[in-house]
Amino acid sequence: MAKISKRMNSANALVEKHKVYSLEEAIKLTKETATTKFDSTVELSFNLNIDPRKADQQIRGAIVLPAGTGKSQKILVLTNTKVKEAQEAKADFVGGEELIQKIQKENWFGFDIIVATPEMMAKLGAIGKILGPKGLMPNPKTGTVTVDVTKAIDEIKKGKIEYRADKEGNIHTIIGKASFTPEQLIQNYEAMKAEIRRVKPQTVKGDYIINISLSTTMGPGIKVETN
């Protein structure tokens, strides 16, 4: 059994296990319980009253956080038709079939996200089993399959994140770093919560958002009021 450090014990002691905090209190505690020596990521989790086994209750999308994520992402653009546009928009890597082969043959993953133009999707199918488990497969629903690569790259650089409900009806995402101001974290939290409400399936009856919690990397979970 892993030994809990004094720093972790001190952080856990700040949070009442069954208490539900106001957003302002939760944000304050989130910053206070960031125990890592590096700038911890602030994570947001929703437990939703959905059944992801039903096609109309599978939630997936993307949003540009107003205060950004505090994290830079290396962008790979796969295209045969928008090479110059992608280069001018300062994508980290731009190419076509040769980069798909590099991923397939060399197990190359020197990037964080893929943007692809539509003509590349048939070719990407060959490595779908490699990209899928890593959450890297481009998807029109998240804006990563597009002819407007400039817009896609710009949004990613500004703080675009993807979200997806797991098989238990949970959505785990990030809303910034522990070094963010409370105002920045609240701004991103409110934007993400509004987005989750926006995509509520019409077939869901009763309460939609069951629980919300905040945490930092290796920090304790902090329950937040849902209303």
Side-chain angles (χ1 to χ4, degrees):
M1 185 174 178
K3 185 178 180 180
I4 300 176
S5 68
K6 290 182 179 179
R7 189 182 297 158
M8 278 288 291
N9 278 325
S10 297
N12 290 336
L14 294 173
V15 180
E16 293 183 40
K17 189 173 182 180
H18 299 292
K19 181 175 179 178
V20 180
Y21 294 88
S22 70
L23 175 58
E24 290 74 15
E25 289 176 319
I27 292 291
K28 182 174 182 289
L29 273 174
T30 298
K31 290 175 68 65
E32 290 176 352
T33 55
T35 62
T36 58
K37 293 181 180 179
F38 54 87
D39 192 6
S40 297
T41 297
V42 179
E43 301 169 2
L44 173 61
S45 299
F46 295 90
N47 177 231
L48 304 177
N49 176 28
I50 60 172
D51 185 353
R53 293 173 299 177
K54 297 179 179 178
D56 61 350
Q57 293 189 23
Q58 293 175 358
I59 295 177
R60 182 176 187 178
I63 179 177
V64 179
L65 295 177
T69 63
K71 177 183 177 182
S72 61
Q73 297 196 86
K74 289 188 176 180
I75 304 168
L76 165 62
V77 176
L78 295 173
T79 182
N80 287 329
T81 57
K82 300 283 184 175
V83 173
K84 184 178 179 182
E85 187 178 325
Q87 290 171 339
E88 290 177 347
K90 294 184 168 48
D92 297 280
F93 308 99
V94 183
E97 290 88 340
E98 75 281 3
L99 292 182
I100 293 175
Q101 290 176 7
K102 186 174 182 178
I103 294 169
Q104 187 175 30
K105 295 179 179 179
E106 301 178 22
N107 199 33
W108 173 64
F109 290 100
F111 52 87
D112 300 300
I113 190 166
I114 300 175
V115 174
T117 45
E119 83 278 1
M120 300 302 298
M121 291 309 293
K123 299 176 179 66
L124 269 171
I127 58 171
K129 290 183 179 179
I130 300 173
L131 299 178
K134 294 179 179 292
L136 290 170
M137 192 69 179
N139 190 296
K141 290 183 178 180
T142 60
T144 49
V145 178
T146 179
V147 295
D148 193 347
V149 296
T150 298
K151 179 183 177 183
I153 294 167
D154 184 57
E155 288 181 341
I156 293 167
K157 289 182 180 293
K158 285 181 177 177
K160 184 176 184 177
I161 58 168
E162 298 181 12
Y163 61 86
R164 184 175 188 175
D166 63 21
K167 63 182 181 180
E168 304 298 332
N170 301 309
I171 290 178
H172 304 286
T173 186
I174 66 173
I175 58 167
K177 294 286 187 176
S179 60
F180 276 26
T181 66
E183 292 75 20
Q184 287 175 313
L185 291 172
I186 288 172
Q187 191 178 18
N188 282 349
Y189 172 95
E190 295 288 12
M192 192 67 226
K193 186 177 178 183
E195 172 70 4
I196 297 303
R197 289 193 180 281
R198 184 187 70 79
V199 298
K200 176 184 177 182
Q202 294 183 348
T203 52
V204 170
K205 305 299 180 184
D207 291 337
Y208 170 49
I209 298 178
I210 301 172
N211 290 305
I212 304 174
S213 64
L214 283 168
S215 64
T216 56
T217 308
M218 297 173 65
I222 302 162
K223 294 181 180 179
V224 189
E225 291 176 350
T226 58
N227 297 325

